[in-house]
Amino acid sequence: MGKIPIFLLFLIKFLYAEEAQKCAWDNCHATDPDPNVITAHLIPHTHDDLGWIKTVDQYFWGAKPELVPVGVQYIYNTVVEELMKDPERRFSFAETGFLWRWWTSTTDKNREQFKYLIQNGQIEMIGGGWVQNDEATSHYVDIIDQMTLGLSRLIDLFGKCGKPVTGWQIDPFGHSREMANIYAQMNYTSLYFARIHYLEKEVRLKNKTLEFNWKASDDIKSNIFTGAFFNDNYGPPEGFCWDSLCGDDPIMDNEKLEEYNVKEKVDSFVAHVSKQAAHQTTNQVMLLMGSDFQYTNSNSWYVNLDKLIKYVNADKSKKVKVIYSTPACYTQAVKSRSPKLSTKIDDFFPYASGKHSYWTGYFTSRPAFKGMIRQASSMLQLAKQMESIINVDPTLDSPVTRLKEACGLVQHHDAVTGTAKENVTRDYEKQLAQAMSGVESVINDYMDTLNPDALKSNLVLCPLLNETICTPISNSDDFAVVIFNSHARYYNYTVRIPYKHESAVVKDFNKEVVETFKVAQLNSTDQMPYEIHAFVLIPPLGYSTVFVSKGEKKVRKIKKNPSGNITITNEHLIATFDNRGYLTSLQNRTTGLVKSIRQEFFYYEGIDSKDDQPSGAYIFRPKSQQPIAFDSKIELEVVKGSVTNEVRQRINPYVSQIVRLPKNKNYIEFEWIVGPIPKEFKNPVTKEFVTRYTTEINSKNVSYTDSNGRQVMKRYFDGATSFDYDDTEPVAGNYYPITSFGYIKDDKNQFSVITDRAQGMMANDGVVEIMLHRRCFYDDHFGVEEALDEPGKDGRGLVAKGKHIVLFTDLEESAAQLRPLVIENFHQPVLAFYNNRNMEKFEFNRHLESPTRLREFPLWLHFLTVEKVKNPMNNSTFLFRFEHIYHNDSAESAKYAVPQILDLDKLFGPNKFDLSEKIALGGNKKHLETVKNRFDRKKGNIYELRPSEILTLLVSK
């Protein structure tokens, strides 16, 4: 017999090692078979925020002990030490971000022991994302990315036991249907959390429905077993916290000592278990033994947990059996009893912890940071695509990896929400800015690879383009701009380029000249006085170049404070403003139909610190049900040109807006600037600024908001679907999160608003109100211990700038256009600049427009992910995700929400793939068919997608 090939030996060893692993869900302690005995599952765990009161570094290292009494590194060290003492013990770790920090900084011995504990079932990895993301303000693309990052690290480290099965969202402030759908599509078997509306909690306790089946998608019929915790937190029962941060008595079992308390502790524990079991559908009870940053001294926990198990189990009359467990083992125990579970089809927004504590302020808190996160997401998608196109192997220290980690970090439920302390938020911004700057090298490597015969590209990025700041070109008359499109469809829109002169010549392949516009309000010594509006057409997954030089004459017409009514037009719409400067109507130029619309700014004054519940980073609580209007006269400028027609409104020194009709678009844009919000010298008053759109839509009390940018949730003003609504906070209680869009409609028309960041929205009877910015001068008593008072660059207060796109059409047009428009506007093009007087050198032997790489995708198809992955067997392996963007959420949508054929070979033309394999959404598991009568039929690289389906593939060339 010949020798076994070396690669086969490695394969056998790998398969044997995988087979030998006994993951937590395969190594559960036995429950009591007696239906009259309650099995209490003790879940030792720790909840470790990657930043909140302190930065992620301070939390991990435990630096400055007078400020940070714990260090996450010590939690990992001592848990490993205690678990190695006794194979009966269990522990559950969640976020991968902290695990990775520990893994890369600890000893080889600790790493080997941790791996052993994972692969013998003593440690269960739960959640598995880089962080425990927020569910109101995080976009689904960013959620999938941060989950993929965490899951990929886990499987690389631990193999099959590094594939979590338990969704763990115990701290976010409300829970979305789309998050449940994402977990279900990642093949998770359960989902657990703590925070639900106090009125819904009362109902679920009464009806024994804390555990239920959550129908997470109407289109793909996904569902997931879901559990809400019995306590209103994720900590242990009262009297049973044995962490160094707690003050509960230990179990003292020496009968000779005066403090002997075994009977007292056992009786108290059994009483709690019995009470909790009375509200559950089975005789299985989950008890969370741990909380925020606990287990820095794990010995104190496990010594007492061992005793608790010993003494409760010794008394059979108590009818309670106590075991060490994990969430997956608990889920298996519950499902094995075949309980009759209720079904949920909506979500858990808004979250309220009390009558006057509605957690709806954070939907908008820190709007500039929320906008920065969206910008970083655009750069990440582009960088991943570039790395894939030029076939660069991903490394742990590459710019793309660093940006993945930074983007993942800010999806944390105290980051993107705006609910961390000011210095922590600045640390998030610093890490994000540093990672974004690394994309510059990725872009230049990409350009140099595609143009091997040209000189080095030397392109630079300008991260503050939103503020019309671009230092590298601030003193230049002439420069080149390369515009990158990360979408798989042509980008046909207007880009804005800062410029120092009032007139410019912009040349592309058509040698067209476009105009410049003066900017205002964002006061900065670095700000450029004008910006160019250039209408461009960028190829799918490609780039195009424009050249800027100084112009000789003005090509725009400006009227200041005109009298009478004002109109601006484009190819599709006529917008009319009254003599006070307010928008009054939109007319369709094709049909002649006129729709009434009025847009205004208001602000609420927030409850102050004299009340037991003020407005703050989390909470929105206005003093009055009606906001305060601005009575100052609006200053106007009307600007008309060939690319853009707009009305510039200056309401007061801290609110202004540009209302714009872009070229060849059937929607209207509202580019708002709010700030600095005024602060009184004495007794400052919280102010929360909103924009309000008043329409003729007969929407009654119904509106619609997105769920993490995907599914549509039906909302009721002064109403709820899962409990009897109590009108204790008439305004805050009717605010809902919008990550990308929201709308109202009647039987004919639909009014939709697309946002460029997460915000809060309220709608009723034809009126849509969206909160833009807030400045709160009092802490809201939920842990931050700091007012939401952003100082801005000069200490006077933060200035926030953003944009709304308003689509006001009939139902048929809205069904066709809204979702493609949302996808197009989620990730904006990335602009890179070349500043050198010798433009001929830049142009020499260079493709000024990228070569055709693929066919333009059809309107229904979103190329959600392009990512290079490690594969030792094939160096050209990629993770692709394709999304059917239409959902069957209305009668009009049915025409577009139909199964579609995806043929990879046709889409990618000459860039054909030899192999494609369908996998689960997280990229770490094989796809499981959970729905009968699937449409899938595979012939080569052909797939069929259902409405709203995300198809995840591993493809190889």
Side-chain angles (χ1 to χ4, degrees):
M1 181 187 296
K3 289 185 178 180
I4 300 176
I6 188 69
F7 81 89
L8 190 55
L9 286 174
F10 279 116
L11 181 61
I12 292 171
K13 181 180 178 181
F14 172 77
L15 293 174
Y16 176 78
E18 287 271 298
E19 188 65 29
Q21 294 180 26
K22 200 170 186 181
C23 308
W25 43 89
D26 299 320
N27 194 19
C28 302
H29 290 308
T31 60
D32 198 301
D34 187 343
N36 297 313
V37 174
I38 301 169
T39 298
H41 295 249
L42 302 184
I43 313 289
H45 80 108
T46 180
H47 176 69
D48 303 328
D49 292 302
L50 277 86
W52 180 38
I53 306 304
K54 302 300 172 186
T55 68
V56 61
D57 288 334
Q58 289 173 327
Y59 274 142
F60 180 74
W61 295 110
K64 300 180 181 180
E66 71 278 11
L67 295 176
V68 184
V70 296
V72 173
Q73 62 170 330
Y74 308 127
I75 296 175
Y76 280 88
N77 291 340
T78 63
V79 166
V80 168
E81 182 181 348
E82 290 301 316
L83 292 181
M84 291 298 294
K85 294 177 182 178
D86 186 350
E88 297 297 303
R89 292 174 174 175
R90 299 288 186 269
F91 198 84
S92 298
F93 279 109
E95 297 84 359
T96 306
F98 269 138
L99 170 63
W100 185 253
R101 280 173 176 259
W102 178 79
W103 188 267
T104 54
S105 60
T106 194
T107 64
D108 289 340
K109 179 182 176 182
N110 275 345
R111 281 191 286 265
E112 288 302 315
Q113 288 182 339
F114 194 92
K115 191 170 184 178
Y116 166 80
L117 293 167
I118 285 275
Q119 295 178 347
N120 81 341
Q122 285 185 257
I123 292 178
E124 180 185 344
M125 295 306 303
I126 53 180
W130 195 247
V131 297
Q132 195 174 117
N133 63 263
D134 181 56
E135 299 189 40
T137 57
S138 289
H139 192 275
Y140 75 95
V141 171
D142 300 327
I143 294 173
I144 292 170
D145 277 348
Q146 77 88 16
M147 289 294 298
T148 302
L149 174 62
L151 295 174
S152 66
R153 296 287 171 87
L154 291 180
I155 196 170
D156 286 346
L157 294 178
F158 309 121
K160 74 171 186 177
C161 294
K163 300 179 182 181
V165 298
T166 303
W168 197 251
Q169 292 290 111
I170 63 176
D171 200 23
F173 330 123
H175 304 283
S176 72
R177 195 184 193 205
E178 185 55 36
M179 189 70 220
N181 186 35
I182 288 172
Y183 271 127
Q185 292 187 71
M186 290 182 175
N187 293 349
Y188 282 67
T189 58
S190 62
L191 168 60
Y192 292 98
F193 46 68
R195 301 182 190 273
I196 65 175
H197 196 292
Y198 73 99
L199 292 175
E200 183 162 355
K201 182 70 171 289
E202 291 175 4
V203 172
R204 292 190 175 277
L205 285 170
K206 180 181 178 181
N207 296 339
K208 297 185 178 183
T209 55
L210 287 173
E211 293 165 347
F212 52 92
N213 278 322
W214 198 347
K215 289 190 175 182
S217 168
D218 295 329
D219 287 318
I220 62 174
K221 312 301 179 187
S222 64
N223 64 84
I224 189 167
F225 173 87
T226 307
F229 298 149
F230 174 76
N231 286 343
D232 291 329
N233 53 56
Y234 41 82
E238 186 176 351
F240 295 88
C241 183
W242 292 302
D243 195 78
S244 355
L245 299 173
C246 305
D248 293 345
D249 290 334
I251 296 178
M252 292 173 274
D253 56 350
N254 188 334
E255 295 184 19
K256 297 179 180 179
L257 299 181
E258 186 176 345
E259 300 299 324
Y260 177 79
N261 64 356
V262 170
K263 183 178 185 306
E264 174 189 339
K265 284 289 188 181
V266 167
D267 288 347
S268 176
F269 181 81
V270 170
H272 175 88
V273 168
S274 300
K275 179 181 178 182
Q276 182 170 335
H279 296 280
Q280 312 255 183
T281 55
T282 72
N283 61 344
Q284 306 299 300
V285 169
M286 176 192 285
L287 299 172
L288 301 171
M289 309 307 292
S291 192
D292 292 348
F293 299 101
Q294 295 193 0
Y295 285 82
T296 51
N297 177 8
S298 301
N299 181 259
S300 63
W301 267 108
Y302 281 108
V303 165
N304 286 281
L305 291 173
D306 287 346
K307 290 179 180 180
L308 182 65
I309 294 171
K310 174 183 175 181
Y311 291 114
V312 174
N313 289 349
D315 189 347
K316 303 299 182 184
S317 68
K318 299 297 186 182
K319 297 291 185 181
V320 173
K321 179 180 181 179
V322 188
I323 60 173
Y324 279 116
S325 191
T326 67
C329 290
Y330 172 76
T331 302
Q332 289 179 16
V334 171
K335 288 184 176 181
S336 70
R337 270 70 181 175
S338 301
K340 292 183 178 180
L341 300 174
S342 63
T343 297
K344 186 175 180 66
I345 59 173
D346 56 352
D347 64 6
F348 291 93
F349 289 114
Y351 165 59
S353 55
K355 289 185 177 180
H356 302 293
S357 302
Y358 273 85
W359 298 50
T360 55
Y362 80 92
F363 300 160
T364 300
S365 294
R366 301 192 187 276
F369 182 43
K370 284 179 165 68
M372 182 184 185
I373 291 171
R374 191 65 59 88
Q375 180 187 3
S377 180
S378 292
M379 285 196 169
L380 177 59
Q381 307 314 314
L382 179 67
K384 289 193 298 182
Q385 290 174 9
M386 289 179 168
E387 200 175 58
S388 300
I389 290 169
I390 62 176
N391 207 13
V392 173
D393 289 328
T395 61
L396 292 175
D397 61 351
S398 72
V400 174
T401 299
R402 289 196 293 270
L403 185 55
K404 285 181 185 179
E405 292 177 352
C407 287
L409 175 64
V410 296
Q411 297 310 313
H412 171 56
H413 57 271
D414 280 308
V416 64
T417 54
T419 55
K421 279 185 178 292
E422 178 70 22
N423 72 297
V424 179
T425 302
R426 291 186 179 187
D427 182 67
Y428 286 139
E429 291 172 341
K430 178 183 176 182
Q431 294 196 47
L432 201 56
Q434 289 175 341
M436 290 166 70
S437 68
V439 175
E440 198 169 278
S441 65
V442 179
I443 288 175
N444 282 304
D445 288 345
Y446 167 83
M447 291 294 288
D448 293 342
T449 302
L450 294 188
N451 299 279
D453 297 324
L455 297 177
K456 293 293 184 182
S457 298
N458 295 323
L459 296 170
V460 295
L461 296 173
C462 294
L464 299 179
L465 281 178
N466 189 52
E467 300 178 34
T468 324
I469 296 173
C470 187
T471 305
I473 61 168
S474 59
N475 295 314
S476 300
D477 292 341
D478 307 315
F479 52 87
V481 187
V482 184
I483 306 162
F484 297 95
N485 174 24
S486 62
H487 293 287
R489 291 183 56 79
Y490 278 96
Y491 184 83
N492 185 17
Y493 190 59
T494 303
V495 296
R496 292 151 54 196
I497 304 166
Y499 198 48
K500 71 175 187 176
H501 297 298
E502 191 173 359
S503 182
V505 175
V506 178
K507 295 180 180 179
D508 57 11
F509 297 106
N510 297 316
K511 307 296 183 183
E512 290 188 356
V513 178
V514 297
E515 61 238 274
T516 60
F517 293 108
K518 189 174 182 180
V519 298
Q521 188 168 347
L522 288 172
N523 298 317
S524 170
T525 56
D526 299 321
Q527 188 180 20
M528 299 178 74
Y530 302 97
E531 63 180 11
I532 299 166
H533 289 205
F535 193 73
V536 296
L537 181 66
I538 314 299
L541 300 193
Y543 68 85
S544 190
T545 309
V546 298
F547 296 91
V548 176
S549 58
K550 185 178 178 182
E552 298 296 330
K553 61 179 182 179
K554 300 177 184 179
V555 293
R556 58 190 179 27
K557 299 178 181 178
I558 297 179
K559 288 185 179 180
K560 292 189 176 182
N561 298 315
S563 59
N565 290 351
I566 306 159
T567 62
I568 56 174
T569 66
N570 69 1
E571 294 82 353
H572 298 276
L573 296 172
I574 300 173
T576 302
F577 299 76
D578 65 19
N579 56 10
R580 294 184 59 199
Y582 290 104
L583 178 67
T584 60
S585 67
L586 284 176
Q587 183 177 8
N588 185 305
R589 295 187 68 177
T590 302
T591 65
L593 292 176
V594 178
K595 295 182 174 67
S596 173
I597 175 176
R598 183 180 179 91
Q599 182 275 330
E600 301 169 89
F601 293 98
F602 298 84
Y603 71 95
Y604 292 95
E605 290 186 346
I607 294 286
D608 61 26
S609 63
K610 298 175 184 178
D611 192 272
D612 60 352
Q613 183 54 79
S615 268
Y618 300 98
I619 305 300
F620 171 38
R621 193 182 179 200
K623 291 180 180 179
S624 171
Q625 296 183 31
Q626 293 300 324
I628 299 169
F630 295 107
D631 54 7
S632 56
K633 182 180 179 181
I634 298 178
E635 297 179 14
L636 292 179
E637 282 188 358
V638 181
V639 182
K640 297 184 179 182
S642 62
V643 175
T644 302
N645 293 287
E646 59 189 37
V647 172
R648 303 175 192 168
Q649 303 169 322
R650 187 178 185 273
I651 287 80
N652 52 48
Y654 38 89
V655 179
S656 63
Q657 180 171 249
I658 297 175
V659 184
R660 181 182 295 126
L661 290 178
K663 182 176 180 179
N664 204 30
K665 304 295 180 181
N666 70 334
Y667 55 76
I668 185 169
E669 293 180 353
F670 296 82
E671 187 177 89
W672 50 268
I673 304 177
V674 177
I677 295 176
K679 180 179 182 179
E680 295 79 7
F681 183 73
K682 290 185 178 180
N683 302 317
V685 178
T686 289
K687 300 173 190 68
E688 306 177 73
F689 281 58
V690 301
T691 183
R692 181 178 284 186
Y693 301 96
T694 302
T695 75
E696 59 189 8
I697 297 287
N698 184 23
S699 60
K700 300 180 181 178
N701 73 328
V702 176
S703 62
Y704 302 84
T705 64
D706 67 328
S707 180
N708 303 112
R710 287 201 83 218
Q711 299 185 63
V712 167
M713 306 303 300
K714 191 175 185 178
R715 308 300 190 184
Y716 296 92
F717 188 88
D718 282 354
T721 55
S722 299
F723 54 88
D724 292 332
Y725 180 78
D726 187 4
D727 195 20
T728 55
E729 285 294 328
V731 178
N734 284 297
Y735 257 76
Y736 293 92
I738 50 172
T739 315
S740 287
F741 66 95
Y743 60 85
I744 56 175
K745 64 179 182 178
D746 54 24
D747 59 352
K748 293 182 180 178
N749 296 310
Q750 180 170 313
F751 178 85
S752 307
V753 181
I754 300 169
T755 65
D756 63 351
R757 68 202 70 196
Q759 295 176 320
M761 170 179 143
M762 176 177 70
N764 184 40
D765 199 19
V767 178
V768 174
E769 179 177 292
I770 297 175
M771 188 178 291
L772 304 177
H773 194 4
R774 55 203 308 263
R775 192 176 187 184
C776 306
F777 301 112
Y778 305 94
D779 177 56
D780 55 12
H781 313 316
F782 283 101
V784 181
E785 299 178 352
E786 180 180 279
L788 183 66
D789 184 9
E790 296 180 271
K793 291 183 178 180
D794 58 6
R796 297 191 305 118
L798 178 77
V799 178
K801 179 180 180 181
K803 183 171 71 174
H804 289 169
I805 290 175
V806 168
L807 183 67
F808 198 175
T809 60
D810 61 40
L811 297 179
E812 176 68 26
E813 280 188 281
S814 293
Q817 295 180 28
L818 177 59
R819 289 193 177 275
L821 193 55
V822 169
I823 294 293
E824 179 182 280
N825 282 276
F826 173 61
H827 284 149
Q828 293 293 304
V830 173
L831 277 60
F833 297 83
Y834 177 82
N835 181 20
N836 191 304
R837 293 184 178 180
N838 194 337
M839 288 296 167
E840 291 182 358
K841 288 185 177 181
F842 180 77
E843 296 182 51
F844 181 72
N845 278 343
R846 181 182 302 279
H847 297 290
L848 297 179
E849 185 171 74
S850 56
T852 302
R853 188 166 292 110
L854 76 169
R855 293 187 180 182
E856 183 179 25
F857 278 22
L859 199 61
W860 62 268
L861 185 61
H862 177 208
F863 204 1
L864 192 152
T865 301
V866 186
E867 187 168 338
K868 182 82 185 295
V869 296
K870 291 188 298 183
N871 182 355
M873 307 299 290
N874 187 322
N875 189 43
S876 297
T877 302
F878 307 91
L879 178 69
F880 284 178
R881 291 189 182 95
F882 301 91
E883 178 189 10
H884 191 318
I885 68 170
Y886 287 107
H887 294 230
N888 200 0
D889 47 27
S890 69
E892 293 75 22
S893 299
K895 177 180 177 181
Y896 308 97
V898 294
Q900 297 279 5
I901 296 295
L902 171 65
D903 188 330
L904 294 185
D905 296 333
K906 286 185 177 179
L907 283 176
F908 291 92
N911 302 297
K912 291 188 177 181
F913 301 99
D914 297 330
L915 179 68
S916 61
E917 177 189 0
K918 187 172 183 178
I919 57 176
L921 180 62
N924 67 333
K925 301 175 185 176
K926 290 185 177 181
H927 189 275
L928 295 179
E929 297 294 353
T930 57
V931 183
K932 294 181 179 179
N933 300 322
R934 286 284 288 142
F935 294 120
D936 270 14
R937 61 178 184 274
K938 183 169 180 255
K939 293 181 179 178
N941 291 319
I942 299 175
Y943 297 85
E944 194 165 19
L945 269 70
R946 293 167 293 171
S948 85
E949 183 175 7
I950 297 175
L951 173 68
T952 306
L953 299 175
L954 275 180
V955 299
S956 300
K957 285 189 176 181

